[in-house]
Amino acid sequence: MVVAVLSFKLSDNNYCAIICAQITQEKSQITYDFVLTTYKGKQKPTIETLKDEFIVGHLMGGPSRKEILKQQPKIDILWDYHTHNAILLTEAQRQRTYSNDSIEIFEGKKEFFFGFPFKLVTHKDMTLMKDKFEVIGKLKIKENFNRSGGYDYLSNLERFEDILNDIDRHMEIFRNVKFPIKLLCEIN
């Protein structure tokens, strides 16, 4: 699926990049479903500069290795990456985690489904902030990876800023992980 990549400038004059992974319409409600990237810098990002950045994702348990591979083919590419790049949970995080399976998944010791923790913006809210965003290009998300890993509604640019000003803290709180854009997207 080809998706639009947008840039916007934070109040500290740094630029960020987000991906509009899909536009969803249910009855009369339209939402723009955004995926976060880790890009933050003084220069406006380009598709070229994003090639070395990361996309925020969410890991979910599954019934078995075979079933996960059946439902999300080629996920083993992410398993391999995560096994070598996972961060161990702190003791406080372990105590807040409801199951040993979740700990093993997060720490790269068990297979998982991958999904995007979408940041949804309603059409009404998007019309109020659309002039702050600039389309900088397009990416093609690999078919097997464009699935939901949760939803959060954002109603204004300040919420994007709160999250993207400290993306690492946001990822820690929501137990998100990051994967290289080049693993999740087809890049020329």
Side-chain angles (χ1 to χ4, degrees):
M1 166 178 279
V2 177
V3 296
V5 182
L6 297 97
S7 172
F8 67 97
K9 197 178 222 183
L10 299 169
S11 56
D12 67 1
N13 289 322
N14 279 306
Y15 286 92
C16 288
I18 59 175
I19 298 168
C20 185
Q22 56 193 23
I23 299 173
T24 306
Q25 182 170 1
E26 290 188 23
K27 299 185 181 179
S28 62
Q29 181 73 4
I30 296 173
T31 59
Y32 299 86
D33 305 357
F34 292 104
V35 174
L36 304 177
T37 74
T38 58
Y39 180 82
K40 183 177 177 184
K42 294 292 180 194
Q43 301 297 317
K44 188 186 308 180
T46 64
I47 297 301
E48 188 63 34
T49 58
L50 290 178
K51 288 180 181 181
D52 295 323
E53 291 295 327
F54 298 86
I55 293 178
V56 176
H58 186 73
L59 310 180
M60 302 160 283
S64 69
R65 177 184 179 91
K66 183 178 179 180
E67 187 60 30
I68 294 171
L69 281 166
K70 180 180 172 186
Q71 291 184 38
Q72 202 167 22
K74 300 183 183 175
I75 187 76
D76 52 333
I77 295 167
L78 298 187
W79 295 343
D80 183 56
Y81 176 85
H82 188 62
T83 298
H84 295 94
N85 295 282
I87 299 170
L88 299 179
L89 295 174
T90 65
E91 190 54 39
Q93 289 172 318
R94 285 174 165 275
Q95 291 176 6
R96 290 192 318 259
T97 302
Y98 61 91
S99 76
N100 286 335
D101 279 350
S102 294
I103 292 170
E104 288 181 359
I105 289 167
F106 191 83
E107 292 185 343
K109 300 172 187 163
K110 191 170 182 174
E111 291 85 10
F112 53 83
F113 283 111
F114 171 84
F116 292 121
F118 290 117
K119 303 301 180 193
L120 305 182
V121 178
T122 65
H123 182 70
K124 177 184 169 195
D125 291 332
M126 192 64 187
T127 59
L128 299 174
M129 60 178 122
K130 69 180 179 185
D131 60 329
K132 303 293 184 190
F133 293 98
E134 179 182 344
V135 176
I136 58 169
K138 296 181 184 227
L139 285 173
K140 184 173 184 183
I141 296 175
K142 293 177 181 175
E143 184 178 329
N144 301 324
F145 302 134
N146 194 11
R147 65 187 298 166
S148 172
Y151 297 96
D152 182 18
Y153 280 93
L154 303 182
S155 59
N156 56 52
L157 198 58
E158 289 77 24
R159 285 286 294 128
F160 274 110
E161 281 209 40
D162 289 345
I163 293 167
L164 293 168
N165 271 324
D166 196 352
I167 189 77
D168 291 330
R169 177 151 169 66
H170 178 80
M171 288 173 49
E172 178 185 329
I173 291 169
F174 291 96
R175 297 233 178 43
N176 296 141
V177 294
K178 60 185 181 182
F179 286 96
I181 287 177
K182 55 189 158 200
L183 280 182
L184 298 170
C185 299
E186 294 176 17
I187 299 178
N188 300 331

